[in-house]
Amino acid sequence: MTEQPATAGPAEERTAETLSPADARRVAIGALVGTAMEWYDFFLFTAAASLVFNKTFFVTGDPTTSLLASFATFGVGLVARPIGGLLFGWMGDRYGRRRTLLITIVGIGMVTGLIGLLPDYFQIGLAAPLLLMALRVLQGLSVGGEWGGAMTLAIEHAPLHQRSRFAAIPQIGSPIGTIMSSGLFAIIGLIVGQGAAFTAWGWRIPFLLAIPLLAVSLWLRSRLEESPVFVAMLDTRSVDRTPVRSMFRLQWRQLLVASLVAMLGVPGFYLVTAFMISYGNQTLKIDSTVLLVGSLLAAVGQIPTVLICGRLGERFGASRVIIGGAVLSAVAAFPAFALLATRNPIAVAAGMIIAVCLLSVSYAVSGTLMTGLFRPEMRYTGTGMAQNLAGVISGFMPLLATALVAGAGQHWWPAAVLLIAIAALTGLGGILGPRYAVPLAGFRH
């Protein structure tokens, strides 16, 4: 027997009909602030894990072992994300999207600032990597509740026929956060060099800047209004008191499909950023400044890509755009890594730009399809959990790619095959998505 999609109920459709594009844009930008903070903090850790932590916190005497330990810590934080997704998803579906997002943004900013103050292995020994791991777990918990809530808040403020457009706005938090973090790393590297000063204290400056960024983000987010869909659920007493249990009991298929949709934008992104930086620097001996500038340029190109593809999702449906983006990423996997292997700065940057921009085609509209898979009363929980399940895989993606490439004599081809496999999974999610999505009048999945 074929499962029928869950219905959203008339309340959501009636609420969406009263929303204006101006209000939707304001809320989407407010949601963007938090996602930019999320990606800023996580890309800082990505870059630091690739360039610094293997030298200052995980001192083993063997460069490969130190790098693997550093990436493992990167993965540990992402393992904590599903737990944070369940905790904050429950809060968001039970007590409101807005207040939950205020908590998550504070957690992200404070922990990132504390990492910048943490003594290294040469100062306090084994306690340094243990404390780093503990802070990474706390950061992962907070981040686990951020994206799902921001995306839910954005789409629930948007008119139905324009949800894809406004759901793309929080997605540019990824390139904005990357531009801020990689830009700061590159500037500091140019000022103090890539030697002892950068390793000792230069890398800490971008982490410490998370504190003033938190103050600005908190002020902007505090001005947002609660989701009108959640307010309608309160008025009709349709809030689910146990959204986590209901999601696993009633919408576990949607959870699996949504996780597939998120694969290219999360694990794929970390593969073509964290691994490319690590492999380029450690194996190909490309200057880290070249790699960071390449990441910066790729992020700049990602912004118009995401916004344009959000409009394409509005016109053709999110699922079709996701499938198209998956095909493009698979086709470009080998050329992108081949460009990196040339060691030519222009070719290296081109390879990173191609890989990031093409995976961003699917990423732009992934939030549209993912939120559309879940009923409003468990949407925060389901969307966040799906993103975080993909996040768990992404945390170990640089580690897996490093191990596979090492087994292939340090050749890059296993990483390209890995990217193709990830793209195929997202393409499958795009195919299955419309079958399990919540039916809403006038909305194209």
Side-chain angles (χ1 to χ4, degrees):
M1 180 178 179
T2 302
E3 176 182 324
Q4 295 300 315
T7 57
E12 181 171 19
E13 293 185 9
R14 288 199 305 267
T15 300
E17 289 173 358
T18 66
L19 300 174
S20 70
D23 289 338
R25 186 177 299 107
R26 176 175 54 83
V27 173
I29 292 173
L32 159 67
V33 170
T35 58
M37 187 75 170
E38 169 192 346
W39 285 98
Y40 172 80
D41 296 343
F42 258 67
F43 190 83
L44 283 183
F45 203 99
T46 301
S50 303
L51 303 174
V52 177
F53 291 162
N54 56 316
K55 302 173 184 176
T56 56
F57 286 88
F58 301 97
V59 183
T60 66
D62 178 65
T64 301
T65 302
S66 296
L67 184 61
L68 289 174
S70 182
F71 278 148
T73 304
F74 175 79
V76 165
L78 287 169
V79 170
R81 288 179 63 164
I83 301 173
L86 290 175
L87 172 62
F88 292 112
W90 171 79
M91 290 178 60
D93 283 328
R94 181 71 180 85
Y95 299 105
R97 287 61 158 124
R98 177 182 174 274
R99 68 174 66 180
T100 304
L101 287 171
L102 289 174
I103 297 172
T104 59
I105 195 68
V106 171
I108 294 170
M110 290 301 297
V111 170
T112 303
L114 288 174
I115 290 175
L117 296 172
L118 194 63
D120 62 27
Y121 179 86
F122 300 102
Q123 295 172 305
I124 59 174
L126 186 60
L130 293 177
L131 287 172
L132 180 63
M133 290 180 66
L135 289 175
R136 177 64 172 165
V137 169
L138 292 176
Q139 187 186 55
L141 291 173
S142 297
V143 170
E146 171 61 35
W147 186 88
M151 189 58 61
T152 297
L153 192 68
I155 69 105
E156 289 184 347
H157 274 91
L160 283 180
H161 65 286
Q162 293 183 324
R163 279 189 170 182
S164 182
R165 174 188 309 195
F166 292 111
I169 294 177
Q171 298 292 64
I172 64 173
S174 171
I176 289 175
T178 301
I179 290 168
M180 293 168 60
S181 54
S182 61
L184 282 171
F185 258 102
I187 291 171
I188 293 169
L190 290 172
I191 293 174
V192 306
Q194 297 295 324
F198 182 84
T199 303
W201 57 268
W203 67 270
R204 298 178 182 273
I205 296 174
F207 282 86
L208 295 173
L209 287 176
I211 301 299
L213 289 175
L214 168 62
V216 175
S217 301
L218 191 60
W219 176 73
L220 289 172
R221 183 159 282 183
S222 66
R223 303 177 67 191
L224 297 181
E225 298 176 355
E226 181 54 89
S227 157
V229 175
F230 184 79
V231 172
M233 289 193 298
L234 287 177
D235 292 341
T236 58
R237 298 183 180 180
S238 59
V239 173
D240 194 328
R241 294 180 179 273
T242 58
V244 175
R245 184 176 65 181
S246 297
M247 188 267 298
F248 280 114
R249 182 170 61 90
L250 300 174
Q251 297 205 275
W252 61 271
R253 292 178 180 85
Q254 284 83 353
L255 177 64
L256 294 178
V257 173
S259 298
L260 292 176
V261 171
M263 288 293 289
L264 192 54
V266 187
F269 177 81
Y270 283 113
L271 178 61
V272 300
T273 53
F275 175 75
M276 274 191 167
I277 290 174
S278 171
Y279 180 75
N281 183 250
Q282 301 292 328
T283 302
L284 301 178
K285 305 303 179 184
I286 301 171
D287 188 272
S288 59
T289 300
V290 173
L291 295 165
L292 289 172
V293 170
S295 296
L296 180 65
L297 294 175
V300 172
Q302 194 179 7
I303 293 175
T305 301
V306 168
L307 294 177
I308 291 170
C309 290
R311 295 295 185 96
L312 292 177
E314 182 179 305
R315 182 175 180 180
F316 300 106
S319 60
R320 291 182 179 179
V321 176
I322 287 170
I323 295 168
V327 171
L328 290 172
S329 290
V331 170
F334 273 83
F337 278 97
L339 287 169
L340 178 72
T342 65
R343 297 181 173 87
N344 179 280
I346 295 177
V348 167
M352 299 183 79
I353 292 169
I354 290 170
V356 171
C357 287
L358 290 184
L359 69 83
S360 297
V361 174
S362 296
Y363 175 72
V365 295
S366 62
T368 308
L369 185 55
M370 290 168 68
T371 53
L373 286 165
F374 298 98
R375 301 176 183 176
E377 60 268 24
M378 57 192 79
R379 179 172 287 148
Y380 195 141
T381 302
T383 303
M385 189 63 184
Q387 182 83 349
N388 290 320
L389 287 176
V392 170
I393 298 172
S394 71
F396 294 97
M397 195 56 59
L399 177 66
L400 176 60
T402 299
L404 291 175
V405 167
Q410 297 300 332
H411 196 279
W412 51 264
W413 71 262
V417 172
L418 198 55
L419 180 58
I420 293 172
I422 292 170
L425 291 174
T426 288
L428 178 60
I431 293 171
L432 296 175
R435 176 182 177 182
Y436 293 103
V438 172
L440 291 169
F443 179 65
R444 301 182 65 185
H445 296 283

